[in-house]
Amino acid sequence: MTTRVLVTGGAGFIGSHYVRTLLGPAGPGDVAVTVLDKLTYAGNPANLDEVRGHPRFSFVRGDICDPVLVGGLMDRHDQVVHFAAESHVDRSIDGGAEFVRTNVVGTHTLVDTAHRAGIEVFVHISTDEVYGSIDDGSWPESHPLRPNSPYSASKASSDLVALSYHRTHGLDVRVTRCSNNYGHHHFPEKVIPLFVTNLLDGRKVPLYGDGGNVRDWLHIDDHVQGIELVRTRGRAGEVYNIGGGTELSNRELTGMLLDACGADWEGSVVHVEDRKGHDRRYSVDCTKIREELGYAPRRGFEEGLAETVRWYRDNRNWWEPLKAAADGPWASA
Ligand code: NAD
Ligand code: DAU
């Protein structure tokens, strides 16, 4: 029997990769996918070109905060995988209102209508940033949430709202908290695609603060693998961390990107003012998803990064219009 999956935010970076994978040759074959996406600055219809003509794919442009639209869609679906969000920390520092609206109100609208429609499984895509910042060691899922930016605070709120619908109403909510993703189709405001596209254009890259902040990088294929394990085999009301195991300081990452693009530090790196409230390090403990669901990241970072840089080199038609239309400070770095 075909499972009808509603994917919110499916025109964004991770959501579109999930949909292309689900409907691709290695996908499960027994799913029909509807993408619900508002097509904000981060949503790009071109990300779905590969699946547009697929017989089990459909697209609805709309807002997850619209209860009438969302309620109608819930009645026609069995499961939900919820990616839609405002996702960029720097934008949330400039102004948090849209983050609270989409991430908190939108998630509430989805779980409330999902519960009323009798949705079987609701996967909420969260982030490792909800835990805050950690100097040593790694967070297990039971660690208290101590988010620092308006973005991560809105994601922590949405996690708790989603989980409350499990505790209160018995909705089968499963939450994933993932580390930093990288790969193709990543919007060029985030550090890897921003630095790569600047370097490919012979421009400089803005490194925040002392460059000592550490992130754990995960290839998008491995994130999608983890989400599928949780959707198909995870347990109701549970949280699953997903990480990559490749911790790098931003200085180390910048060095690798310079090498990959044939640029040098002196000519290409500008040290700029630090991000306000900049989290020093994220690190998730992935024991639970590894032992319970057999998750293991498969993509090596060096090979994945080289492939990503190649993709940006070969797909200027994808990112050049996005940078030309840019409204963020990152655009003119
Ligand atoms: P993205 O910004 O690339 O995509 C977000 C998508 O949501 C876009 O297509 C946008 O149009 C859509 N959207 C925004 N507001 C909407 C609304 N009100 N209604 C309907 N659609 C709306 O984000 P991403 O990097 O693909 O992240 C997807 C999810 O994964 C987010 O929830 C994010 O918090 C989480 N996450 C991201 C990372 C990462 O490294 N990028 C890591 C862990 C978790
Ligand atoms: O950890 C998961 C999170 O990863 C996701 O929840 C977010 O949606 C996603 O955007 C990402 O958040 P980060 O803030 O870690 O990613 P970003 O690419 O914005 O920044 C990564 C690091 O690089 C961070 O320490 C800040 C630094 N940086 C970033 C930019 C944009 C710079 O030094 N210069 C820059 O221009």
Side-chain angles (χ1 to χ4, degrees), residues 195-327:
F195 280 22
V196 170
T197 55
N198 277 15
L199 292 170
L200 291 177
D201 274 349
R203 293 164 65 191
K204 294 183 191 295
V205 297
L207 186 61
Y208 294 168
D210 66 0
N213 303 68
V214 172
R215 298 292 183 264
D216 168 23
W217 292 98
L218 177 72
H219 193 276
I220 191 163
D221 283 351
D222 286 319
H223 188 189
V224 163
Q225 178 215 148
I227 293 167
E228 263 307 85
L229 286 171
V230 171
R231 180 182 73 85
T232 55
R233 293 172 35 206
R235 286 180 295 136
E238 294 294 322
V239 176
Y240 296 90
N241 288 338
I242 307 178
T246 303
E247 282 195 26
L248 292 172
S249 70
N250 292 333
R251 288 184 72 86
E252 291 169 319
L253 176 68
T254 301
M256 293 175 80
L257 296 174
L258 291 169
D259 286 349
C261 297
D264 64 74
W265 192 279
E266 287 69 31
S268 302
V269 180
V270 197
H271 291 270
V272 299
E273 195 182 333
D274 207 356
R275 175 183 278 175
K276 284 186 190 172
H278 198 171
D279 286 333
R280 194 67 180 167
R281 174 174 174 264
Y282 302 137
S283 181
V284 281
D285 177 343
C286 299
T287 308
K288 180 172 172 180
I289 190 166
R290 193 175 59 238
E291 293 189 350
E292 194 177 312
L293 304 180
Y295 168 80
R298 300 182 193 125
R299 304 296 306 273
F301 186 72
E302 285 190 23
E303 164 239 324
L305 193 67
E307 181 195 279
T308 302
V309 172
R310 243 188 339 268
W311 188 86
Y312 282 93
R313 206 187 286 282
D314 294 345
N315 289 277
R316 280 182 170 270
N317 58 335
W318 184 85
W319 57 266
E320 278 179 344
L322 302 178
K323 290 190 89 154
D327 60 349

Side-chain angles (χ1 to χ4, degrees), residues 17-299:
H17 199 71
Y18 180 71
V19 171
R20 291 191 303 268
T21 306
L22 222 53
L23 296 176
D30 58 353
V31 294
V33 173
T34 305
V35 166
L36 169 61
D37 199 296
K38 187 178 171 182
L39 297 181
T40 66
Y41 79 95
N44 188 344
N47 293 353
L48 294 166
D49 281 351
E50 219 172 285
V51 293
R52 198 169 312 286
H54 195 288
R56 286 181 278 109
F57 172 77
S58 53
F59 180 84
V60 175
R61 184 173 190 178
D63 192 330
I64 57 167
C65 300
D66 176 346
V68 176
L69 171 69
V70 169
L73 286 169
M74 291 294 173
D75 286 338
R76 292 183 270 124
H77 290 85
D78 307 302
Q79 301 186 352
V80 177
V81 183
H82 171 35
F83 295 91
E86 286 295 330
S87 67
H88 191 40
V89 173
D90 291 327
R91 285 179 188 259
S92 82
I93 295 167
D94 290 343
E98 200 49 40
F99 287 74
V100 173
R101 200 187 79 86
T102 286
N103 300 358
V104 186
V105 177
T107 299
H108 173 261
T109 307
L110 288 167
V111 286
D112 192 57
T113 50
H115 148 62
R116 290 173 201 284
I119 286 290
E120 291 163 10
V121 173
F122 187 107
V123 182
H124 174 68
I125 308 300
S126 185
T127 169
D128 59 359
E129 295 198 18
V130 297
Y131 296 116
S133 183
I134 186 166
D135 289 335
D136 302 297
S138 304
W139 298 293
E141 288 82 354
S142 55
H143 197 275
L145 306 190
R146 295 202 180 101
N148 294 313
S149 72
Y151 162 68
S152 53
S154 69
K155 291 295 291 187
S157 310
S158 62
D159 269 37
L160 298 179
V161 169
L163 288 167
S164 78
Y165 269 71
H166 171 67
R167 285 296 290 259
T168 307
H169 297 294
L171 179 65
D172 181 339
V173 173
R174 307 168 188 188
V175 173
T176 62
R177 295 188 183 139
C178 185
S179 65
N180 284 63
N181 284 217
Y182 73 98
H184 47 87
H185 295 91
H186 201 181
F187 194 87
E189 65 185 348
K190 309 285 166 58
V191 73
I192 290 183
L194 172 66
F195 280 22
V196 170
T197 55
N198 277 15
L199 292 170
L200 291 177
D201 274 349
R203 293 164 65 191
K204 294 183 191 295
V205 297
L207 186 61
Y208 294 168
D210 66 0
N213 303 68
V214 172
R215 298 292 183 264
D216 168 23
W217 292 98
L218 177 72
H219 193 276
I220 191 163
D221 283 351
D222 286 319
H223 188 189
V224 163
Q225 178 215 148
I227 293 167
E228 263 307 85
L229 286 171
V230 171
R231 180 182 73 85
T232 55
R233 293 172 35 206
R235 286 180 295 136
E238 294 294 322
V239 176
Y240 296 90
N241 288 338
I242 307 178
T246 303
E247 282 195 26
L248 292 172
S249 70
N250 292 333
R251 288 184 72 86
E252 291 169 319
L253 176 68
T254 301
M256 293 175 80
L257 296 174
L258 291 169
D259 286 349
C261 297
D264 64 74
W265 192 279
E266 287 69 31
S268 302
V269 180
V270 197
H271 291 270
V272 299
E273 195 182 333
D274 207 356
R275 175 183 278 175
K276 284 186 190 172
H278 198 171
D279 286 333
R280 194 67 180 167
R281 174 174 174 264
Y282 302 137
S283 181
V284 281
D285 177 343
C286 299
T287 308
K288 180 172 172 180
I289 190 166
R290 193 175 59 238
E291 293 189 350
E292 194 177 312
L293 304 180
Y295 168 80
R298 300 182 193 125
R299 304 296 306 273

